[in-house]
Each structure stands twice: as structure tokens, then as C-alpha cells.
Amino acid sequence: MQINHLRNFSEVARCGSINQAAQRVFASPQALSSSIAALENELGYKLFVRHHRGVVLTEAGKQVYDDLQTILPMVIKWFNLGQEQDASGAGKVQIYVALALCASFNRLLIQQGRECPELEVTVHEARSERIRSLIQNGKANLGVVSVEEDSREAWIADVQKRGWTAVKLMEDEFCAVLGKDYFPELGAALRKQDFGKMRYISSSDEHDSISKKIAPYFGERMQSRSESLSSNLCMVALNEGVVFLPRRVALCEPLYQSGMLRLLPVQDLRLKATHYLLCAQSDGASPAERFLMEQIGAFYNRADWE
């Protein structure tokens, strides 16, 4: 009997929903369903009755759940005694973060360093597509990626097919980032008719689909040397044009916080993205990786991101 099966069962019982429990234990709903089925097969009876609103414990399931409240904490403690890295988060973790998110992600690392200095986190910057490729080829286990609204359903279907875990961190909307004195006559929002007067600064990232959507509306375009690294693009935007970044990412940029940049919503063109924490093997993640995943989930759900 595997400890993960017992832990997953306990969380599903607590939530009354496989989908909600999957987000709490950083596993896909499919992986969690398989875990519950394996436990039921081993015990020889059903633990849940499934319905369209979630799951309900059977009488046998209630007995197992009640017993686990006493037994499971002790079993987890025994399990952790044999780990090279304990559940406090000590150890080393590598994580790949989408380029445009790195500046804002630094706030999490500073907080993590204060709260758990024994956990050493190495962050690698990469495009979301590159991160997915690294995870697919077994060269990375953890990543934070951005997925555009148009491709989100297909992306989620592929993640589920591969058995990966994708935890939704937050939804975001791209905004225009420009210097404080660049086109001061502009109002509180940009319109497509304004684009023709401005210079659009695009990244050198050939996979930057936001650029492909925006560029045709601009009268002039300049390609930056940066592959959409937000801090570099903001530097160029001070005097030379306009860039587009996720709003919450731009809010964390030092140049914006110093008052040198403006953020404007785009009135006629909505560009949305969702940020996800992606893990190839949540069940096989080390205690240190699981600890970091929990910190990331808590951080991105806080209102103080603003």
C-alpha cells in the first residue's frame, strides 16, 4: 500500500472533489483518479460514490478516512525519517521560469530565502515552449509557464495526456508599457487607431505569438535583442516605443515602480494569458520540490501581488 495513495484519498475526502484535491496535492485529476482506483482495487471495496458535483464517501470510506486521521500523520513522519531531504524544504531545487515572468518571480525567491534559507533554488530563464520541451525530454521537472488564451484548451489537453501536473497560478492580461513622456497626449487606454503613430518594440523570440498579433497594427516596428525578458524590454520602452507585457509582471518592474513607465490597457484588443506551475512527476517530486511548489501556489494566490 503506497503512502501517496493514502494521502491522495485523504485529500479527496476532505475536499469532496477530485479536481479541488488535485490542485492541493499538485497532481492532475487523472493521476488522482488512478491513485484512488488503485487503492480501491487493493482494498477490494469502493471508497467513494461519484456524482456530477464531486464525490461522497461510502460507509467503508468513512471508516478508512476516520482511521487515517490518526494513522497517516505517523506514517508520513516515518516516511520522512528516511528521506535525504526532509519535509522542511532543505535541499536544492532547479526550476525553469518563462522569460517575461522572471522579474516578478524574484519577489517569491526573496521571500522564500527569508522563510527557508536552507532551501537553495536555482532559477533558469527560458521561453514557455522551451520549458515544455525540457520537461518532455526529462531534462527538467519544474517550470512556471505562460499560456495564451487562444491555445489554452489544447495545451491543457496535452498536459493531461502526458500525465503532467499543471496548477493554475493566475490569469493575466497583457498591457502596453511605455515611457512616462512617450506620447503624453494618450488617454487612459490605447486604441488600435493610436498604434499607427507609435513604434512597436517586439522581442527577438520567434515564438512570440503576442507580437504576431500586435505588430500588423503598428506603423513602425523595432526588434529588440532580448527574447521577451521583461526588464530589458522595459529599458528600451523608456524612450523608443511601446512593449506588451502581462500586467502583473509589469507592475513588479522597478522602472514602473519608480514612476518612469506607464501601463495602459488596450481598449480594442484583449490579449489574455494564464500562468501555470508545471511539474512532470508530482508523485516523484522530492520533498524540497514539493515544498517550493506549495510556496509558489500560496504566493501567486495572494492579493499583495498588486
PDB file of all heavy atoms in Angstrom, residues 177-183 195 197-202 218-225 232-244 255 260-262:
ATOM      1  N   VAL A 177       3.226  48.936 -22.284  1.00  0.00           N
ATOM      2  CA  VAL A 177       4.199  49.530 -21.369  1.00  0.00           C
ATOM      3  C   VAL A 177       4.998  50.558 -22.151  1.00  0.00           C
ATOM      4  O   VAL A 177       5.627  50.226 -23.162  1.00  0.00           O
ATOM      5  CB  VAL A 177       5.141  48.454 -20.792  1.00  0.00           C
ATOM      6  CG1 VAL A 177       6.152  49.086 -19.850  1.00  0.00           C
ATOM      7  CG2 VAL A 177       4.341  47.373 -20.075  1.00  0.00           C
ATOM      8  N   LEU A 178       4.971  51.808 -21.710  1.00  0.00           N
ATOM      9  CA  LEU A 178       5.659  52.862 -22.437  1.00  0.00           C
ATOM     10  C   LEU A 178       6.219  53.895 -21.466  1.00  0.00           C
ATOM     11  O   LEU A 178       5.794  53.978 -20.309  1.00  0.00           O
ATOM     12  CB  LEU A 178       4.738  53.535 -23.458  1.00  0.00           C
ATOM     13  CG  LEU A 178       3.461  54.195 -22.966  1.00  0.00           C
ATOM     14  CD1 LEU A 178       2.977  55.202 -24.001  1.00  0.00           C
ATOM     15  CD2 LEU A 178       2.354  53.162 -22.729  1.00  0.00           C
ATOM     16  N   GLY A 179       7.187  54.667 -21.944  1.00  0.00           N
ATOM     17  CA  GLY A 179       7.807  55.688 -21.113  1.00  0.00           C
ATOM     18  C   GLY A 179       6.818  56.744 -20.677  1.00  0.00           C
ATOM     19  O   GLY A 179       5.841  57.034 -21.380  1.00  0.00           O
ATOM     20  N   LYS A 180       7.083  57.355 -19.536  1.00  0.00           N
ATOM     21  CA  LYS A 180       6.170  58.356 -18.969  1.00  0.00           C
ATOM     22  C   LYS A 180       5.926  59.511 -19.937  1.00  0.00           C
ATOM     23  O   LYS A 180       4.817  60.048 -20.009  1.00  0.00           O
ATOM     24  CB  LYS A 180       6.771  58.880 -17.657  1.00  0.00           C
ATOM     25  CG  LYS A 180       5.917  59.903 -16.948  1.00  0.00           C
ATOM     26  CD  LYS A 180       6.592  60.407 -15.675  1.00  0.00           C
ATOM     27  CE  LYS A 180       7.855  61.191 -16.007  1.00  0.00           C
ATOM     28  NZ  LYS A 180       8.452  61.823 -14.798  1.00  0.00           N
ATOM     29  N   ASP A 181       6.939  59.881 -20.699  1.00  0.00           N
ATOM     30  CA  ASP A 181       6.813  61.030 -21.587  1.00  0.00           C
ATOM     31  C   ASP A 181       6.628  60.639 -23.056  1.00  0.00           C
ATOM     32  O   ASP A 181       6.722  61.491 -23.939  1.00  0.00           O
ATOM     33  CB  ASP A 181       8.064  61.920 -21.460  1.00  0.00           C
ATOM     34  CG  ASP A 181       8.231  62.461 -20.057  1.00  0.00           C
ATOM     35  OD1 ASP A 181       7.213  62.820 -19.442  1.00  0.00           O
ATOM     36  OD2 ASP A 181       9.381  62.502 -19.573  1.00  0.00           O
ATOM     37  N   TYR A 182       6.368  59.369 -23.306  1.00  0.00           N
ATOM     38  CA  TYR A 182       6.175  58.907 -24.683  1.00  0.00           C
ATOM     39  C   TYR A 182       4.701  59.057 -25.036  1.00  0.00           C
ATOM     40  O   TYR A 182       3.833  58.432 -24.431  1.00  0.00           O
ATOM     41  CB  TYR A 182       6.624  57.452 -24.796  1.00  0.00           C
ATOM     42  CG  TYR A 182       6.667  56.908 -26.208  1.00  0.00           C
ATOM     43  CD1 TYR A 182       7.665  57.312 -27.093  1.00  0.00           C
ATOM     44  CD2 TYR A 182       5.724  55.988 -26.652  1.00  0.00           C
ATOM     45  CE1 TYR A 182       7.708  56.807 -28.383  1.00  0.00           C
ATOM     46  CE2 TYR A 182       5.771  55.480 -27.939  1.00  0.00           C
ATOM     47  CZ  TYR A 182       6.768  55.895 -28.802  1.00  0.00           C
ATOM     48  OH  TYR A 182       6.816  55.395 -30.085  1.00  0.00           O
ATOM     49  N   PHE A 183       4.390  59.904 -26.010  1.00  0.00           N
ATOM     50  CA  PHE A 183       3.017  60.218 -26.394  1.00  0.00           C
ATOM     51  C   PHE A 183       2.174  60.611 -25.170  1.00  0.00           C
ATOM     52  O   PHE A 183       1.213  59.927 -24.803  1.00  0.00           O
ATOM     53  CB  PHE A 183       2.366  59.040 -27.132  1.00  0.00           C
ATOM     54  CG  PHE A 183       2.792  58.948 -28.562  1.00  0.00           C
ATOM     55  CD1 PHE A 183       3.881  58.158 -28.921  1.00  0.00           C
ATOM     56  CD2 PHE A 183       2.130  59.636 -29.553  1.00  0.00           C
ATOM     57  CE1 PHE A 183       4.300  58.068 -30.243  1.00  0.00           C
ATOM     58  CE2 PHE A 183       2.530  59.554 -30.877  1.00  0.00           C
ATOM     59  CZ  PHE A 183       3.620  58.777 -31.217  1.00  0.00           C
ATOM     60  N   PHE A 195      -2.129  53.039 -32.610  1.00  0.00           N
ATOM     61  CA  PHE A 195      -0.941  52.231 -32.873  1.00  0.00           C
ATOM     62  C   PHE A 195      -0.120  52.766 -34.050  1.00  0.00           C
ATOM     63  O   PHE A 195       1.102  52.681 -34.041  1.00  0.00           O
ATOM     64  CB  PHE A 195      -1.321  50.780 -33.168  1.00  0.00           C
ATOM     65  CG  PHE A 195      -1.841  50.020 -31.970  1.00  0.00           C
ATOM     66  CD1 PHE A 195      -2.295  48.722 -32.097  1.00  0.00           C
ATOM     67  CD2 PHE A 195      -1.875  50.596 -30.713  1.00  0.00           C
ATOM     68  CE1 PHE A 195      -2.761  48.013 -31.024  1.00  0.00           C
ATOM     69  CE2 PHE A 195      -2.352  49.905 -29.618  1.00  0.00           C
ATOM     70  CZ  PHE A 195      -2.801  48.605 -29.772  1.00  0.00           C
ATOM     71  N   LYS A 197       0.717  55.611 -34.911  1.00  0.00           N
ATOM     72  CA  LYS A 197       1.625  56.719 -34.601  1.00  0.00           C
ATOM     73  C   LYS A 197       2.872  56.243 -33.844  1.00  0.00           C
ATOM     74  O   LYS A 197       3.827  56.996 -33.691  1.00  0.00           O
ATOM     75  CB  LYS A 197       0.916  57.748 -33.708  1.00  0.00           C
ATOM     76  CG  LYS A 197      -0.485  58.129 -34.108  1.00  0.00           C
ATOM     77  CD  LYS A 197      -1.099  58.971 -32.989  1.00  0.00           C
ATOM     78  CE  LYS A 197      -2.603  59.116 -33.160  1.00  0.00           C
ATOM     79  NZ  LYS A 197      -3.207  59.808 -31.999  1.00  0.00           N
ATOM     80  N   MET A 198       2.842  55.029 -33.326  1.00  0.00           N
ATOM     81  CA  MET A 198       3.843  54.593 -32.352  1.00  0.00           C
ATOM     82  C   MET A 198       4.798  53.568 -32.940  1.00  0.00           C
ATOM     83  O   MET A 198       4.518  52.945 -33.962  1.00  0.00           O
ATOM     84  CB  MET A 198       3.143  53.993 -31.125  1.00  0.00           C
ATOM     85  CG  MET A 198       2.050  54.874 -30.565  1.00  0.00           C
ATOM     86  SD  MET A 198       1.076  54.067 -29.287  1.00  0.00           S
ATOM     87  CE  MET A 198       2.216  54.168 -27.925  1.00  0.00           C
ATOM     88  N   ARG A 199       5.904  53.398 -32.279  1.00  0.00           N
ATOM     89  CA  ARG A 199       6.862  52.349 -32.655  1.00  0.00           C
ATOM     90  C   ARG A 199       6.657  51.158 -31.720  1.00  0.00           C
ATOM     91  O   ARG A 199       6.688  51.305 -30.498  1.00  0.00           O
ATOM     92  CB  ARG A 199       8.294  52.858 -32.521  1.00  0.00           C
ATOM     93  CG  ARG A 199       9.325  51.741 -32.742  1.00  0.00           C
ATOM     94  CD  ARG A 199      10.722  52.216 -32.431  1.00  0.00           C
ATOM     95  NE  ARG A 199      11.219  53.099 -33.477  1.00  0.00           N
ATOM     96  CZ  ARG A 199      12.408  53.700 -33.440  1.00  0.00           C
ATOM     97  NH1 ARG A 199      13.189  53.529 -32.389  1.00  0.00           N
ATOM     98  NH2 ARG A 199      12.804  54.461 -34.421  1.00  0.00           N
ATOM     99  N   TYR A 200       6.451  50.016 -32.311  1.00  0.00           N
ATOM    100  CA  TYR A 200       6.250  48.795 -31.526  1.00  0.00           C
ATOM    101  C   TYR A 200       7.588  48.073 -31.348  1.00  0.00           C
ATOM    102  O   TYR A 200       8.302  47.819 -32.319  1.00  0.00           O
ATOM    103  CB  TYR A 200       5.249  47.861 -32.211  1.00  0.00           C
ATOM    104  CG  TYR A 200       5.146  46.497 -31.576  1.00  0.00           C
ATOM    105  CD1 TYR A 200       4.903  46.369 -30.210  1.00  0.00           C
ATOM    106  CD2 TYR A 200       5.308  45.347 -32.331  1.00  0.00           C
ATOM    107  CE1 TYR A 200       4.821  45.122 -29.628  1.00  0.00           C
ATOM    108  CE2 TYR A 200       5.224  44.101 -31.751  1.00  0.00           C
ATOM    109  CZ  TYR A 200       4.986  43.998 -30.394  1.00  0.00           C
ATOM    110  OH  TYR A 200       4.900  42.754 -29.806  1.00  0.00           O
ATOM    111  N   ILE A 201       7.921  47.751 -30.108  1.00  0.00           N
ATOM    112  CA  ILE A 201       9.161  47.037 -29.806  1.00  0.00           C
ATOM    113  C   ILE A 201       8.817  45.584 -29.548  1.00  0.00           C
ATOM    114  O   ILE A 201       8.143  45.252 -28.568  1.00  0.00           O
ATOM    115  CB  ILE A 201       9.860  47.637 -28.569  1.00  0.00           C
ATOM    116  CG1 ILE A 201      10.112  49.125 -28.784  1.00  0.00           C
ATOM    117  CG2 ILE A 201      11.160  46.898 -28.268  1.00  0.00           C
ATOM    118  CD1 ILE A 201      10.514  49.851 -27.522  1.00  0.00           C
ATOM    119  N   SER A 202       9.264  44.727 -30.419  1.00  0.00           N
ATOM    120  CA  SER A 202       8.996  43.293 -30.257  1.00  0.00           C
ATOM    121  C   SER A 202      10.260  42.593 -29.798  1.00  0.00           C
ATOM    122  O   SER A 202      11.372  43.083 -29.981  1.00  0.00           O
ATOM    123  CB  SER A 202       8.512  42.677 -31.574  1.00  0.00           C
ATOM    124  OG  SER A 202       9.551  42.700 -32.533  1.00  0.00           O
ATOM    125  N   PHE A 218       0.838  48.386 -36.107  1.00  0.00           N
ATOM    126  CA  PHE A 218       1.761  49.483 -35.852  1.00  0.00           C
ATOM    127  C   PHE A 218       2.378  50.016 -37.136  1.00  0.00           C
ATOM    128  O   PHE A 218       2.646  49.265 -38.075  1.00  0.00           O
ATOM    129  CB  PHE A 218       2.865  49.041 -34.890  1.00  0.00           C
ATOM    130  CG  PHE A 218       2.433  49.026 -33.460  1.00  0.00           C
ATOM    131  CD1 PHE A 218       1.757  47.941 -32.942  1.00  0.00           C
ATOM    132  CD2 PHE A 218       2.672  50.117 -32.632  1.00  0.00           C
ATOM    133  CE1 PHE A 218       1.340  47.924 -31.630  1.00  0.00           C
ATOM    134  CE2 PHE A 218       2.255  50.112 -31.320  1.00  0.00           C
ATOM    135  CZ  PHE A 218       1.587  49.019 -30.804  1.00  0.00           C
ATOM    136  N   GLY A 219       2.636  51.333 -37.134  1.00  0.00           N
ATOM    137  CA  GLY A 219       3.250  51.953 -38.289  1.00  0.00           C
ATOM    138  C   GLY A 219       4.730  51.648 -38.393  1.00  0.00           C
ATOM    139  O   GLY A 219       5.298  51.617 -39.482  1.00  0.00           O
ATOM    140  N   GLU A 220       5.378  51.408 -37.255  1.00  0.00           N
ATOM    141  CA  GLU A 220       6.813  51.154 -37.247  1.00  0.00           C
ATOM    142  C   GLU A 220       7.112  50.072 -36.213  1.00  0.00           C
ATOM    143  O   GLU A 220       6.466  49.991 -35.169  1.00  0.00           O
ATOM    144  CB  GLU A 220       7.574  52.437 -36.893  1.00  0.00           C
ATOM    145  CG  GLU A 220       9.081  52.300 -37.006  1.00  0.00           C
ATOM    146  CD  GLU A 220       9.795  53.592 -36.630  1.00  0.00           C
ATOM    147  OE1 GLU A 220       9.096  54.602 -36.388  1.00  0.00           O
ATOM    148  OE2 GLU A 220      11.034  53.581 -36.572  1.00  0.00           O
ATOM    149  N   ARG A 221       8.094  49.272 -36.516  1.00  0.00           N
ATOM    150  CA  ARG A 221       8.435  48.178 -35.618  1.00  0.00           C
ATOM    151  C   ARG A 221       9.944  48.119 -35.411  1.00  0.00           C
ATOM    152  O   ARG A 221      10.721  48.300 -36.339  1.00  0.00           O
ATOM    153  CB  ARG A 221       7.941  46.838 -36.184  1.00  0.00           C
ATOM    154  CG  ARG A 221       8.301  45.634 -35.320  1.00  0.00           C
ATOM    155  CD  ARG A 221       7.693  44.369 -35.901  1.00  0.00           C
ATOM    156  NE  ARG A 221       8.034  43.201 -35.103  1.00  0.00           N
ATOM    157  CZ  ARG A 221       7.630  41.963 -35.369  1.00  0.00           C
ATOM    158  NH1 ARG A 221       6.866  41.741 -36.422  1.00  0.00           N
ATOM    159  NH2 ARG A 221       7.976  40.955 -34.599  1.00  0.00           N
ATOM    160  N   MET A 222      10.342  47.867 -34.172  1.00  0.00           N
ATOM    161  CA  MET A 222      11.748  47.694 -33.853  1.00  0.00           C
ATOM    162  C   MET A 222      11.906  46.373 -33.106  1.00  0.00           C
ATOM    163  O   MET A 222      11.147  46.090 -32.166  1.00  0.00           O
ATOM    164  CB  MET A 222      12.233  48.832 -32.957  1.00  0.00           C
ATOM    165  CG  MET A 222      13.682  48.733 -32.551  1.00  0.00           C
ATOM    166  SD  MET A 222      14.112  50.085 -31.442  1.00  0.00           S
ATOM    167  CE  MET A 222      14.593  49.179 -30.008  1.00  0.00           C
ATOM    168  N   GLN A 223      12.859  45.557 -33.516  1.00  0.00           N
ATOM    169  CA  GLN A 223      13.066  44.268 -32.865  1.00  0.00           C
ATOM    170  C   GLN A 223      14.181  44.381 -31.839  1.00  0.00           C
ATOM    171  O   GLN A 223      15.303  44.767 -32.150  1.00  0.00           O
ATOM    172  CB  GLN A 223      13.407  43.184 -33.887  1.00  0.00           C
ATOM    173  CG  GLN A 223      13.359  41.785 -33.294  1.00  0.00           C
ATOM    174  CD  GLN A 223      13.455  40.718 -34.375  1.00  0.00           C
ATOM    175  OE1 GLN A 223      14.265  40.798 -35.273  1.00  0.00           O
ATOM    176  NE2 GLN A 223      12.610  39.708 -34.283  1.00  0.00           N
ATOM    177  N   SER A 224      13.855  44.057 -30.601  1.00  0.00           N
ATOM    178  CA  SER A 224      14.841  44.110 -29.529  1.00  0.00           C
ATOM    179  C   SER A 224      15.732  42.871 -29.586  1.00  0.00           C
ATOM    180  O   SER A 224      15.351  41.832 -30.131  1.00  0.00           O
ATOM    181  CB  SER A 224      14.130  44.170 -28.173  1.00  0.00           C
ATOM    182  OG  SER A 224      15.029  43.916 -27.122  1.00  0.00           O
ATOM    183  N   ARG A 225      16.905  42.987 -29.007  1.00  0.00           N
ATOM    184  CA  ARG A 225      17.792  41.832 -28.929  1.00  0.00           C
ATOM    185  C   ARG A 225      17.324  40.834 -27.872  1.00  0.00           C
ATOM    186  O   ARG A 225      17.753  39.693 -27.843  1.00  0.00           O
ATOM    187  CB  ARG A 225      19.219  42.280 -28.586  1.00  0.00           C
ATOM    188  CG  ARG A 225      19.870  43.132 -29.677  1.00  0.00           C
ATOM    189  CD  ARG A 225      21.257  43.562 -29.254  1.00  0.00           C
ATOM    190  NE  ARG A 225      21.886  44.403 -30.265  1.00  0.00           N
ATOM    191  CZ  ARG A 225      23.082  44.954 -30.129  1.00  0.00           C
ATOM    192  NH1 ARG A 225      23.775  44.754 -29.022  1.00  0.00           N
ATOM    193  NH2 ARG A 225      23.578  45.709 -31.085  1.00  0.00           N
ATOM    194  N   ASN A 232      14.617  43.974 -19.696  1.00  0.00           N
ATOM    195  CA  ASN A 232      15.322  44.543 -20.852  1.00  0.00           C
ATOM    196  C   ASN A 232      14.369  45.297 -21.764  1.00  0.00           C
ATOM    197  O   ASN A 232      14.686  46.381 -22.276  1.00  0.00           O
ATOM    198  CB  ASN A 232      16.016  43.430 -21.639  1.00  0.00           C
ATOM    199  CG  ASN A 232      17.171  42.819 -20.868  1.00  0.00           C
ATOM    200  OD1 ASN A 232      17.566  43.331 -19.828  1.00  0.00           O
ATOM    201  ND2 ASN A 232      17.705  41.725 -21.369  1.00  0.00           N
ATOM    202  N   LEU A 233      13.203  44.733 -22.003  1.00  0.00           N
ATOM    203  CA  LEU A 233      12.229  45.397 -22.872  1.00  0.00           C
ATOM    204  C   LEU A 233      11.745  46.707 -22.257  1.00  0.00           C
ATOM    205  O   LEU A 233      11.516  47.684 -22.962  1.00  0.00           O
ATOM    206  CB  LEU A 233      11.041  44.466 -23.130  1.00  0.00           C
ATOM    207  CG  LEU A 233      11.322  43.252 -24.024  1.00  0.00           C
ATOM    208  CD1 LEU A 233      10.090  42.365 -24.125  1.00  0.00           C
ATOM    209  CD2 LEU A 233      11.773  43.679 -25.413  1.00  0.00           C
ATOM    210  N   CYS A 234      11.588  46.729 -20.940  1.00  0.00           N
ATOM    211  CA  CYS A 234      11.154  47.963 -20.279  1.00  0.00           C
ATOM    212  C   CYS A 234      12.196  49.065 -20.432  1.00  0.00           C
ATOM    213  O   CYS A 234      11.858  50.246 -20.569  1.00  0.00           O
ATOM    214  CB  CYS A 234      10.873  47.700 -18.801  1.00  0.00           C
ATOM    215  SG  CYS A 234       9.317  46.835 -18.506  1.00  0.00           S
ATOM    216  N   MET A 235      13.464  48.700 -20.413  1.00  0.00           N
ATOM    217  CA  MET A 235      14.525  49.689 -20.614  1.00  0.00           C
ATOM    218  C   MET A 235      14.401  50.340 -21.987  1.00  0.00           C
ATOM    219  O   MET A 235      14.497  51.556 -22.137  1.00  0.00           O
ATOM    220  CB  MET A 235      15.889  49.021 -20.475  1.00  0.00           C
ATOM    221  CG  MET A 235      16.295  48.703 -19.044  1.00  0.00           C
ATOM    222  SD  MET A 235      16.623  50.179 -18.058  1.00  0.00           S
ATOM    223  CE  MET A 235      18.113  50.783 -18.857  1.00  0.00           C
ATOM    224  N   VAL A 236      14.153  49.516 -23.001  1.00  0.00           N
ATOM    225  CA  VAL A 236      14.015  50.041 -24.360  1.00  0.00           C
ATOM    226  C   VAL A 236      12.754  50.902 -24.465  1.00  0.00           C
ATOM    227  O   VAL A 236      12.725  51.914 -25.173  1.00  0.00           O
ATOM    228  CB  VAL A 236      13.972  48.886 -25.387  1.00  0.00           C
ATOM    229  CG1 VAL A 236      13.893  49.428 -26.805  1.00  0.00           C
ATOM    230  CG2 VAL A 236      15.187  47.984 -25.236  1.00  0.00           C
ATOM    231  N   ALA A 237      11.708  50.508 -23.736  1.00  0.00           N
ATOM    232  CA  ALA A 237      10.432  51.225 -23.822  1.00  0.00           C
ATOM    233  C   ALA A 237      10.487  52.612 -23.198  1.00  0.00           C
ATOM    234  O   ALA A 237       9.578  53.423 -23.423  1.00  0.00           O
ATOM    235  CB  ALA A 237       9.330  50.408 -23.138  1.00  0.00           C
ATOM    236  N   LEU A 238      11.529  52.912 -22.438  1.00  0.00           N
ATOM    237  CA  LEU A 238      11.616  54.222 -21.790  1.00  0.00           C
ATOM    238  C   LEU A 238      11.514  55.366 -22.801  1.00  0.00           C
ATOM    239  O   LEU A 238      10.810  56.345 -22.575  1.00  0.00           O
ATOM    240  CB  LEU A 238      12.936  54.340 -21.020  1.00  0.00           C
ATOM    241  CG  LEU A 238      12.933  53.830 -19.582  1.00  0.00           C
ATOM    242  CD1 LEU A 238      14.326  53.930 -18.990  1.00  0.00           C
ATOM    243  CD2 LEU A 238      11.942  54.595 -18.726  1.00  0.00           C
ATOM    244  N   ASN A 239      12.206  55.237 -23.928  1.00  0.00           N
ATOM    245  CA  ASN A 239      12.264  56.337 -24.890  1.00  0.00           C
ATOM    246  C   ASN A 239      11.952  55.942 -26.325  1.00  0.00           C
ATOM    247  O   ASN A 239      11.779  56.813 -27.169  1.00  0.00           O
ATOM    248  CB  ASN A 239      13.667  56.982 -24.872  1.00  0.00           C
ATOM    249  CG  ASN A 239      14.056  57.488 -23.500  1.00  0.00           C
ATOM    250  OD1 ASN A 239      13.339  58.284 -22.917  1.00  0.00           O
ATOM    251  ND2 ASN A 239      15.170  56.993 -22.981  1.00  0.00           N
ATOM    252  N   GLU A 240      11.892  54.662 -26.613  1.00  0.00           N
ATOM    253  CA  GLU A 240      11.897  54.252 -28.012  1.00  0.00           C
ATOM    254  C   GLU A 240      10.601  53.654 -28.529  1.00  0.00           C
ATOM    255  O   GLU A 240      10.487  53.379 -29.713  1.00  0.00           O
ATOM    256  CB  GLU A 240      13.045  53.253 -28.239  1.00  0.00           C
ATOM    257  CG  GLU A 240      14.410  53.836 -27.925  1.00  0.00           C
ATOM    258  CD  GLU A 240      15.532  52.952 -28.430  1.00  0.00           C
ATOM    259  OE1 GLU A 240      15.561  52.656 -29.640  1.00  0.00           O
ATOM    260  OE2 GLU A 240      16.366  52.545 -27.620  1.00  0.00           O
ATOM    261  N   GLY A 241       9.629  53.410 -27.671  1.00  0.00           N
ATOM    262  CA  GLY A 241       8.406  52.821 -28.194  1.00  0.00           C
ATOM    263  C   GLY A 241       7.556  52.173 -27.128  1.00  0.00           C
ATOM    264  O   GLY A 241       7.570  52.580 -25.962  1.00  0.00           O
ATOM    265  N   VAL A 242       6.830  51.179 -27.556  1.00  0.00           N
ATOM    266  CA  VAL A 242       5.876  50.517 -26.668  1.00  0.00           C
ATOM    267  C   VAL A 242       6.119  49.011 -26.687  1.00  0.00           C
ATOM    268  O   VAL A 242       6.403  48.435 -27.741  1.00  0.00           O
ATOM    269  CB  VAL A 242       4.463  50.871 -27.130  1.00  0.00           C
ATOM    270  CG1 VAL A 242       3.712  49.771 -27.731  1.00  0.00           C
ATOM    271  CG2 VAL A 242       3.648  51.416 -26.043  1.00  0.00           C
ATOM    272  N   VAL A 243       6.025  48.350 -25.522  1.00  0.00           N
ATOM    273  CA  VAL A 243       6.120  46.893 -25.440  1.00  0.00           C
ATOM    274  C   VAL A 243       4.849  46.375 -24.786  1.00  0.00           C
ATOM    275  O   VAL A 243       4.099  47.144 -24.170  1.00  0.00           O
ATOM    276  CB  VAL A 243       7.358  46.431 -24.636  1.00  0.00           C
ATOM    277  CG1 VAL A 243       8.639  46.957 -25.247  1.00  0.00           C
ATOM    278  CG2 VAL A 243       7.249  46.831 -23.174  1.00  0.00           C
ATOM    279  N   PHE A 244       4.610  45.094 -24.898  1.00  0.00           N
ATOM    280  CA  PHE A 244       3.439  44.484 -24.274  1.00  0.00           C
ATOM    281  C   PHE A 244       3.894  43.388 -23.321  1.00  0.00           C
ATOM    282  O   PHE A 244       4.654  42.505 -23.695  1.00  0.00           O
ATOM    283  CB  PHE A 244       2.496  43.924 -25.344  1.00  0.00           C
ATOM    284  CG  PHE A 244       1.731  44.990 -26.056  1.00  0.00           C
ATOM    285  CD1 PHE A 244       2.320  45.712 -27.095  1.00  0.00           C
ATOM    286  CD2 PHE A 244       0.439  45.314 -25.686  1.00  0.00           C
ATOM    287  CE1 PHE A 244       1.638  46.717 -27.751  1.00  0.00           C
ATOM    288  CE2 PHE A 244      -0.256  46.331 -26.338  1.00  0.00           C
ATOM    289  CZ  PHE A 244       0.351  47.025 -27.371  1.00  0.00           C
ATOM    290  N   LEU A 255      11.362  49.827 -13.005  1.00  0.00           N
ATOM    291  CA  LEU A 255      11.178  51.068 -13.767  1.00  0.00           C
ATOM    292  C   LEU A 255       9.744  51.580 -13.649  1.00  0.00           C
ATOM    293  O   LEU A 255       9.501  52.794 -13.638  1.00  0.00           O
ATOM    294  CB  LEU A 255      11.544  50.857 -15.234  1.00  0.00           C
ATOM    295  CG  LEU A 255      13.034  50.770 -15.545  1.00  0.00           C
ATOM    296  CD1 LEU A 255      13.245  50.422 -17.012  1.00  0.00           C
ATOM    297  CD2 LEU A 255      13.729  52.079 -15.211  1.00  0.00           C
ATOM    298  N   MET A 260       8.812  55.796 -13.926  1.00  0.00           N
ATOM    299  CA  MET A 260       9.365  56.143 -15.235  1.00  0.00           C
ATOM    300  C   MET A 260       8.572  55.536 -16.390  1.00  0.00           C
ATOM    301  O   MET A 260       8.766  55.905 -17.547  1.00  0.00           O
ATOM    302  CB  MET A 260      10.826  55.684 -15.310  1.00  0.00           C
ATOM    303  CG  MET A 260      11.711  56.346 -14.259  1.00  0.00           C
ATOM    304  SD  MET A 260      13.389  55.699 -14.228  1.00  0.00           S
ATOM    305  CE  MET A 260      14.037  56.386 -15.752  1.00  0.00           C
ATOM    306  N   LEU A 261       7.681  54.600 -16.082  1.00  0.00           N
ATOM    307  CA  LEU A 261       6.891  53.946 -17.124  1.00  0.00           C
ATOM    308  C   LEU A 261       5.406  54.089 -16.828  1.00  0.00           C
ATOM    309  O   LEU A 261       5.002  54.282 -15.683  1.00  0.00           O
ATOM    310  CB  LEU A 261       7.234  52.445 -17.207  1.00  0.00           C
ATOM    311  CG  LEU A 261       8.626  52.062 -17.699  1.00  0.00           C
ATOM    312  CD1 LEU A 261       8.841  50.574 -17.525  1.00  0.00           C
ATOM    313  CD2 LEU A 261       8.822  52.460 -19.154  1.00  0.00           C
ATOM    314  N   ARG A 262       4.607  53.963 -17.884  1.00  0.00           N
ATOM    315  CA  ARG A 262       3.149  53.918 -17.751  1.00  0.00           C
ATOM    316  C   ARG A 262       2.646  52.575 -18.241  1.00  0.00           C
ATOM    317  O   ARG A 262       3.227  51.969 -19.157  1.00  0.00           O
ATOM    318  CB  ARG A 262       2.488  55.008 -18.595  1.00  0.00           C
ATOM    319  CG  ARG A 262       2.623  56.400 -18.045  1.00  0.00           C
ATOM    320  CD  ARG A 262       1.836  57.373 -18.906  1.00  0.00           C
ATOM    321  NE  ARG A 262       2.397  57.510 -20.241  1.00  0.00           N
ATOM    322  CZ  ARG A 262       1.736  57.974 -21.304  1.00  0.00           C
ATOM    323  NH1 ARG A 262       0.471  58.320 -21.177  1.00  0.00           N
ATOM    324  NH2 ARG A 262       2.334  58.096 -22.457  1.00  0.00           N
TER     325      ARG A 262
END
